Amino acid sequence: MDFISERINNLTPSATLAMSQKSAELRAAGIDVINMSIGEPDFNTPDFIKEAAKVAIDENYTHYPPVPGYMTLRKAISEKLSRENGVDYAPEQIVVGNGAKQELCNALLATVNPGDEVIIPVPAWVSYMDMVKLAEGKVVPVYAGVEQNFKITPEQLEAAITPRSRVVMFNSPSNPTGSVYSRAELAALAAVLERHPHVLILADDIYEHINYVGGAPSIAQFESLRDRMMIVNGVSKAYAMTGWRIGWIAAPLAIAKGIIKLQGQYTSSVSSIAMKAAEAAYTGSQDCVEDMRRAFERRRDLIVELAKEIPGWVVNKPDGAFYLFPEVSAYIGKRYGDREIKSSGDYVMYLLEEAHVAAVDGAAFCAPGYLRLSYATSEDNIREAMRRIREASAKLG
Ligand code: PMP
Ligand code: GLU
C-alpha cells in the first residue's frame, strides 16, 4: 500500500523533464552527453532584468504579493498585449502564476468539468494531455503529421467538435514541431470556432517571438472569439527566464476570477522578486529578444541542413520555436548486435547510449515514430550531436 491517489497514479511523468534528468545523471557520471532533450534557452537572463530583481530585494519586495500578481506587472502585461498583439485585456483579466505551465493547468482546472472534451492538435507538448487528465477531462487529439507540416485543417477541427467539447488548445509556434500557422490558416480555423460558441479557446503563445517568418500571428487576434479566448504566455522563452517561473493568463473576467480563487487556495502568488524582474522584461528594451531570436534562426538553419543528411529521417523546416521533429520510423525494425529498435522510444534510448545525445521520444507528444531535438544549444553542440547521431544510426542494419 503506497497511499498514492488514483489522480497521481494516472499521471504520466513529464518525458521532457525525465530525459533531461537522465542526461544530467549521465553527465554527473562523467559521460559527455549533449542534452538536446529539454526546451530551454541556453542564454542567461539579460543583465537589466537581473538588476531589477536585485533592486526589488533592496526595496523589500519580500512580503506576500497579491494572489493574481502585482498590479504594476498586470498593467505591463496588459500594455504588452495591446502593443504587440493588438488585443485589449484589462489588468483585472490577467493572472500571474508559476510559469505558463501553471496558468495552462489553472485554465483547464477552472473551466473543465469531469468528462468534458478538450481538443488538442497533436503532436503537442507533453504536459497538455496530463493537465487535461488532472482536470478529469477527456483528450480529443487531432493529428497532423509531417506530410501536412504538422498543422491541422479546418475540416479536421470541425470533425473533432461535439456538444461535449469544452476547450480547444492552440500552440503556434508549436512545441514540439516548430510549425507556425499563417494568419490565413488561423482565420480558417477561427471561422470554424465561430460556428461553435460553446467552445473555449486556449492559446499558448509562449514561443511567439521565436519565429523565422517575420512574426507569428495568434488565434487570439480574432475579435469574434474574444469573449471565450484565454491567452497564456510568459517570460521563460522570450527573455531566457525559465528559472524565474513567471507566466500568466489573460482571460474573460469570470474565468480570471475563477483562476484567482483556485490560486488563492493552493499556491497564492508567485515570487515577489521574480515578478519585479518580469516587469522589467516587459517594460525595458526588447533588443535582447531579437538578439536571441537571430541566434535561434542560425541554429535552425544549421540543424535542418545537417538533419537532412541523416539517411531515413524525414525533416521539415520549422518556422519557429527551437525544436526539430524528424520522422524516424525508417529505423524501426533495425538491429545493432542483439538489440532491436522496436519503436522511436528505443531509437531515442539507443542514441542516448551509443551517441550520447539526449532527445525526446515523439510518443510523449502523441506522435510515435518521431523524435524531438531541442536546438537551444551552441552551434558546436549541434554539429557534434548531429555527427554522432549519423554515426550511431549508420551502425544500425
Ligand atoms: N507551453 C509550452 C508549449 C512550452 O513548451 C512550455 C515550456 N516548458 C510551457 C508552456 C511552459 O513554460 P513555463 O512554465 O516555463 O513558462
Ligand atoms: N517546454 C520545455 C520542453 O518541452 C521545458 C520542459 C517542460 O516543462 O516540459 O522541454
Side-chain angles (χ1 to χ4, degrees):
M1 179 82 173
D2 60 10
F3 296 104
I4 299 300
S5 67
E6 269 178 45
R7 179 180 300 110
I8 297 307
N9 273 332
N10 286 340
L11 283 186
T12 318
S14 162
T16 48
L17 299 183
M19 203 59 184
S20 190
Q21 172 68 26
K22 203 172 174 72
S23 108
E25 282 164 15
L26 289 174
R27 278 194 86 85
I31 297 167
D32 166 32
V33 174
I34 302 177
N35 185 6
M36 297 179 83
S37 63
I38 194 146
E40 150 160 66
D42 54 332
F43 303 107
N44 291 321
T45 302
D47 286 343
F48 77 94
I49 299 174
K50 293 195 281 195
E51 279 313 313
K54 292 177 198 167
V55 170
I57 296 174
D58 288 339
E59 289 183 350
N60 295 310
Y61 279 90
T62 54
H63 299 272
Y64 281 129
V67 171
Y70 290 125
M71 193 36 107
T72 45
L73 175 58
R74 294 162 84 199
K75 277 191 179 137
I77 293 166
S78 164
E79 279 158 21
K80 171 254 180 292
L81 281 167
S82 39
R83 183 179 69 235
E84 293 184 345
N85 308 96
V87 296
D88 291 327
Y89 282 82
E92 291 71 23
Q93 293 178 269
I94 293 163
V95 188
V96 180
N98 287 277
K101 203 175 213 169
Q102 190 193 4
E103 290 316 312
L104 286 164
C105 200
N106 282 352
L108 294 168
L109 289 171
T111 59
V112 172
N113 287 310
D116 282 353
E117 295 172 358
V118 178
I119 298 173
I120 306 182
V122 299
W125 181 40
V126 287
S127 295
Y128 289 173
M129 284 61 82
D130 281 88
M131 287 173 181
V132 173
K133 265 194 232 164
L134 260 187
E136 297 178 61
K138 182 174 168 254
V139 173
V140 177
V142 180
Y143 183 78
V146 65
E147 62 289 343
Q148 59 188 88
N149 206 8
F150 303 111
K151 295 192 232 184
I152 64 162
T153 62
E155 293 73 28
Q156 285 182 289
L157 179 60
E158 181 72 61
I161 296 174
T162 75
R164 283 312 300 266
S165 306
R166 185 69 156 185
V167 181
V168 52
M169 299 181 74
F170 275 106
N171 176 222
S172 172
S174 150
N175 175 7
T177 68
S179 286
V180 177
Y181 285 84
S182 69
R183 194 182 184 287
E185 287 163 341
L186 291 175
L189 296 172
V192 173
L193 293 167
E194 276 168 22
R195 292 197 287 276
H196 300 282
H198 66 293
V199 184
L200 284 162
I201 301 115
L202 180 50
D204 178 352
D205 292 348
I206 190 99
Y207 294 101
E208 68 175 335
H209 291 301
I210 306 171
N211 72 81
Y212 320 114
V213 284
S218 169
I219 187 85
Q221 71 188 282
F222 299 101
E223 192 65 47
S224 56
L225 304 176
R226 191 66 41 81
D227 59 350
R228 49 201 170 99
M229 178 65 66
M230 305 181 276
I231 307 174
V232 168
N233 206 329
V235 292
S236 285
K237 316 287 165 164
Y239 302 95
M241 291 179 69
T242 46
W244 301 77
R245 308 307 306 127
I246 297 286
W248 48 266
I249 186 163
L253 193 58
I255 296 177
K257 284 185 177 163
I259 291 174
I260 294 167
K261 184 160 75 168
L262 170 64
Q263 217 163 263
Q265 289 291 25
Y266 92 118
T267 53
S268 289
S269 168
V270 305
S271 154
S272 50
I273 297 149
M275 272 199 281
K276 295 308 281 182
E279 195 179 314
Y282 283 123
T283 52
S285 161
Q286 302 297 298
D287 291 352
C288 56
V289 178
E290 175 58 15
D291 291 346
M292 289 189 266
R293 191 204 64 79
R294 272 204 213 110
F296 289 131
E297 183 162 11
R298 283 194 299 274
R299 296 165 180 186
R300 189 275 312 254
D301 291 345
L302 177 66
I303 198 166
V304 167
E305 183 193 314
L306 297 174
K308 282 192 168 153
E309 289 169 13
I310 298 177
W313 280 25
V314 183
V315 177
N316 75 329
K317 191 173 184 187
D319 287 329
F322 35 61
Y323 306 106
L324 189 73
F325 202 64
E327 203 270 345
V328 297
S329 54
Y331 286 93
I332 297 172
K334 295 209 172 194
R335 309 185 74 92
Y336 177 52
D338 54 9
R339 181 178 191 147
E340 189 188 344
I341 306 291
K342 295 199 186 88
S343 63
S344 48
D346 284 352
Y347 183 50
V348 163
M349 287 316 291
Y350 172 78
L351 292 179
L352 181 65
E353 286 159 28
E354 283 299 314
H356 298 155
V357 176
V360 185
D361 179 11
F365 307 95
C366 298
Y370 291 80
L371 60 79
R372 189 191 78 172
L373 289 167
S374 162
Y375 56 85
T377 186
S378 70
E379 290 178 34
D380 283 349
N381 274 348
I382 293 171
R383 271 194 204 93
E384 175 61 11
M386 299 313 280
R387 189 193 65 73
R388 291 186 192 179
I389 290 176
R390 224 174 105 169
E391 218 170 84
S393 300
K395 289 190 202 157
L396 293 169

